Coordinates of all heavy atoms in Angstrom, one line a residue:
K124 N 0.5 -107.2 213.6 CA 1.6 -107.2 214.6 C 1.5 -106.0 215.5 O 1.4 -104.9 215.1 CB 3.0 -107.2 213.9 CG 3.2 -108.5 213.0 CD 4.6 -108.5 212.5 CE 5.5 -108.8 213.6 NZ 6.9 -109.0 213.2
P125 N 1.6 -106.2 216.8 CA 1.6 -105.1 217.8 C 2.8 -104.2 217.6 O 3.9 -104.6 217.3 CB 1.5 -105.7 219.1 CG 2.2 -107.1 218.9 CD 1.9 -107.5 217.5
T126 N 2.5 -102.9 217.7 CA 3.6 -101.9 217.7 C 4.3 -101.9 219.0 O 3.7 -101.8 220.0 CB 3.0 -100.5 217.4 OG1 2.3 -100.5 216.1 CG2 4.1 -99.5 217.3
P127 N 5.6 -102.0 219.0 CA 6.4 -102.0 220.3 C 6.1 -100.7 221.1 O 5.9 -99.7 220.6 CB 7.8 -102.0 219.8 CG 7.8 -102.6 218.5 CD 6.5 -102.1 217.9
A128 N 6.0 -100.9 222.4 CA 5.8 -99.8 223.3 C 7.0 -98.8 223.3 O 8.1 -99.2 222.8 CB 5.5 -100.3 224.7
R129 N 6.8 -97.7 223.9 CA 7.8 -96.6 223.8 C 9.0 -97.1 224.6 O 10.2 -96.9 224.2 CB 7.3 -95.3 224.4 CG 8.4 -94.2 224.4 CD 7.8 -93.0 225.0 NE 8.9 -91.9 225.0 CZ 8.7 -90.7 225.4 NH1 7.5 -90.4 226.0 NH2 9.6 -89.8 225.4
G130 N 8.8 -97.9 225.7 CA 9.9 -98.4 226.5 C 10.8 -99.3 225.7 O 12.0 -99.4 225.8
A131 N 10.2 -100.1 224.8 CA 10.9 -101.0 223.9 C 11.8 -100.3 222.9 O 12.9 -100.7 222.6 CB 10.0 -101.9 223.1
V132 N 11.3 -99.1 222.5 CA 12.1 -98.3 221.6 C 13.4 -97.8 222.3 O 14.5 -97.8 221.7 CB 11.3 -97.1 221.1 CG1 12.2 -96.1 220.3 CG2 10.1 -97.5 220.3
T133 N 13.3 -97.3 223.5 CA 14.5 -96.8 224.2 C 15.5 -97.9 224.5 O 16.6 -97.7 224.8 CB 14.1 -96.1 225.5 OG1 13.4 -97.1 226.4 CG2 13.1 -95.0 225.3
R134 N 15.0 -99.2 224.5 CA 15.9 -100.3 224.7 C 16.5 -100.9 223.5 O 17.0 -102.0 223.5 CB 15.2 -101.4 225.6 CG 14.8 -100.9 227.0 CD 14.4 -102.1 227.8 NE 13.2 -102.7 227.2 CZ 11.9 -102.4 227.5 NH1 11.7 -101.4 228.4 NH2 10.9 -103.0 227.0
A135 N 16.3 -100.2 222.3 CA 16.8 -100.7 221.1 C 18.3 -100.9 221.1 O 19.0 -100.2 221.8 CB 16.4 -99.8 219.9
T493 N 3.9 -102.7 211.8 CA 2.7 -101.9 211.5 C 2.9 -100.5 212.1 O 3.4 -100.3 213.2 CB 1.4 -102.5 212.2 OG1 1.2 -103.8 211.6 CG2 0.2 -101.6 211.9
T495 N 1.2 -97.0 213.3 CA -0.1 -96.5 213.8 C -0.5 -95.2 213.1 O 0.4 -94.6 212.4 CB -0.1 -96.2 215.3 OG1 0.9 -95.1 215.6 CG2 0.4 -97.4 216.1
Q498 N 1.6 -92.2 214.3 CA 3.0 -92.3 213.8 C 3.0 -91.9 212.3 O 3.9 -91.2 211.9 CB 3.5 -93.7 214.0 CG 3.8 -94.1 215.4 CD 4.2 -95.6 215.6 OE1 3.8 -96.4 214.7 NE2 4.9 -95.9 216.6
W520 N 13.1 -103.4 211.9 CA 12.0 -102.7 212.5 C 12.4 -101.9 213.8 O 11.8 -100.9 214.1 CB 10.9 -103.6 212.8 CG 9.6 -102.9 213.1 CD1 8.9 -102.9 214.3 CD2 8.8 -102.1 212.2 NE1 7.8 -102.1 214.2 CE2 7.7 -101.6 213.0 CE3 9.0 -101.8 210.9 CZ2 6.8 -100.8 212.4 CZ3 8.0 -100.9 210.3 CH2 6.9 -100.5 211.1
D521 N 13.4 -102.4 214.5 CA 13.8 -101.6 215.7 C 14.3 -100.3 215.3 O 14.1 -99.3 216.0 CB 14.9 -102.4 216.4 CG 14.4 -103.6 217.1 OD1 13.2 -103.7 217.4 OD2 15.2 -104.6 217.4
M524 N 11.4 -98.0 214.7 CA 10.8 -97.5 215.9 C 11.6 -96.3 216.5 O 11.1 -95.4 217.0 CB 10.7 -98.6 216.9 CG 9.6 -99.7 216.6 SD 7.9 -99.0 216.6 CE 7.6 -98.7 214.9
V525 N 12.9 -96.4 216.4 CA 13.8 -95.4 216.9 C 13.6 -94.1 216.0 O 13.5 -93.0 216.6 CB 15.3 -95.8 216.8 CG1 16.2 -94.6 217.2 CG2 15.5 -96.9 217.8
E528 N 10.2 -92.5 216.9 CA 10.2 -91.9 218.2 C 11.0 -90.5 218.0 O 10.6 -89.6 218.7 CB 10.9 -92.8 219.2 CG 11.1 -92.2 220.6 CD 9.7 -92.1 221.3 OE1 8.7 -92.6 220.8 OE2 9.7 -91.4 222.4
R531 N 8.8 -87.9 216.6 CA 7.7 -87.5 217.5 C 8.3 -86.6 218.5 O 7.6 -85.6 218.9 CB 7.2 -88.8 218.2 CG 6.0 -88.5 219.1 CD 5.6 -89.7 219.9 NE 6.6 -89.9 221.0 CZ 6.4 -89.3 222.2 NH1 5.4 -88.4 222.4 NH2 7.3 -89.4 223.2

Side-chain angles (χ1 to χ4, degrees):
K124 296 189 69 176
T126 302
R129 182 179 179 183
V132 175
T133 60
R134 294 190 298 269
T493 301
T495 67
Q498 291 171 334
W520 193 247
D521 287 339
M524 289 293 98
V525 174
E528 180 69 11
R531 189 188 74 85

